[in-house]
Amino acid sequence: NAGVTQTPKFRVLKTGQSMTLLCAQDMNHEYMYWYRQDPGMGLRLIHYSVGEGTTAKGEVPDGYNVSRLKKQNFLLGLESAAPSQTSVYFCASSRGTGGYTGELFFGEGSRLTVL
Amino acid sequence: GEDVEQSLFLSVREGDSSVINCTYTDSSSTYLYWYKQEPGAGLQLLTYIFSNMDMKQDQRLTVLLNKKDKHLSLRIADTQTGDSAIYFCAESTGYQKVTFGIGTKLQVIP
């Protein structure tokens, strides 16, 4: 049981380049999330999804796009990377309604550096 | 909006108790959580407490909730070096999102 898997784990980009981070979960969870973690800032929610085909903006959505074409996958895209997007990105998932406790299951993180 | 605050750093000696504190602003919080992050890893849920509870105990962990003061604490008894990590306080008011504090780095001195 892999849980939440993120790829790639490390990436270095030049300013203006684009890339996609992939998150996959095998727990049949309804909800998926992308967070970024920066020193002194904790975790901030970028975008989230409450089901296949749906996405919504979180706290810091600018410069990012997401898609949830399949229930198990949640993609985070950077169309034109900027140095301010240097961060560690975490994907998480949780069950939907029914026995909900809000527990988030996290991937191991993707460290992105934008030069 | 929601806000969760916690101190940045705590240092304790091995075998002592650790107490990590957190305050939150949203009085409609339904669940409050403590997550642990070890170096190079994602967060893992340690424990959670429902808002109508005052205390929850799970082996070495004790969570206290003062809803009137919007204060949450995590006590780790007999702290071990393996407890060294960053501990995040978090709260949830609904299904869609969980709001995290900035994390408290716990250093355990052998």
Side-chain angles (χ1 to χ4, degrees):
Chain A
N1 191 346
V4 179
T5 305
Q6 294 180 228
T7 52
K9 290 189 171 34
F10 302 94
R11 185 74 187 269
V12 178
L13 286 178
K14 294 182 179 177
T15 297
Q17 287 185 318
S18 63
M19 76 158 296
T20 300
L21 295 175
L22 171 64
C23 177
Q25 54 96 2
D26 60 4
M27 296 173 283
N28 201 34
H29 283 169
E30 289 293 330
Y31 300 151
M32 297 186 74
Y33 312 80
W34 277 106
Y35 286 89
R36 60 178 288 174
Q37 184 179 28
D38 302 292
M41 304 289 287
L43 271 77
R44 293 181 292 169
L45 182 64
I46 305 170
H47 286 280
Y48 64 96
S49 168
V50 298
E52 182 179 313
T54 72
T55 63
K57 293 180 181 179
E59 185 185 353
V60 288
D62 294 341
Y64 304 96
N65 56 74
V66 288
S67 65
R68 183 113 181 256
L69 299 179
K70 292 183 179 180
K71 185 177 182 179
Q72 63 268 33
N73 295 337
F74 195 29
L75 278 64
L76 177 71
L78 285 72
E79 290 183 347
S80 180
S84 61
Q85 294 177 304
T86 294
S87 188
V88 181
Y89 291 86
F90 286 98
C91 178
S93 69
S94 69
R95 296 199 312 206
T97 56
Y100 174 84
T101 62
E103 179 180 1
L104 297 179
F105 294 81
F106 283 85
E108 293 188 341
S110 298
R111 184 176 293 276
L112 175 65
T113 301
V114 183
L115 302 176
Chain B
E2 307 90 351
D3 194 20
V4 178
E5 294 188 356
Q6 52 184 130
S7 55
L8 284 177
F9 189 75
L10 176 67
S11 180
V12 299
R13 294 210 172 271
E14 189 174 18
D16 288 350
S17 292
S18 308
V19 179
I20 303 172
N21 295 301
C22 165
T23 57
Y24 61 97
T25 57
D26 196 332
S27 58
S28 61
S29 295
T30 307
Y31 290 96
L32 295 123
Y33 312 88
W34 285 104
Y35 281 82
K36 177 182 180 182
Q37 184 182 32
E38 297 184 353
L43 282 69
Q44 279 194 305
L45 182 68
L46 264 184
T47 185
Y48 69 91
I49 188 167
F50 191 53
S51 59
N52 67 354
M53 299 168 65
D54 298 324
M55 186 181 86
K56 182 177 181 181
Q57 191 150 2
D58 183 3
Q59 300 182 336
R60 293 191 297 122
L61 305 178
T62 303
V63 178
L64 295 178
L65 175 60
N66 181 327
K67 201 170 178 183
K68 174 177 169 289
D69 294 337
K70 300 189 185 70
H71 183 266
L72 184 74
S73 68
L74 172 70
R75 178 177 180 269
I76 305 173
D78 186 25
T79 311
Q80 302 297 307
T81 54
D83 294 324
S84 293
I86 300 175
Y87 291 81
F88 289 89
C89 174
E91 62 88 22
S92 172
T93 56
Y95 298 117
Q96 279 81 10
K97 65 172 186 163
V98 178
T99 301
F100 290 85
I102 62 171
T104 299
K105 185 172 184 178
L106 174 65
Q107 179 188 49
V108 182
I109 304 167

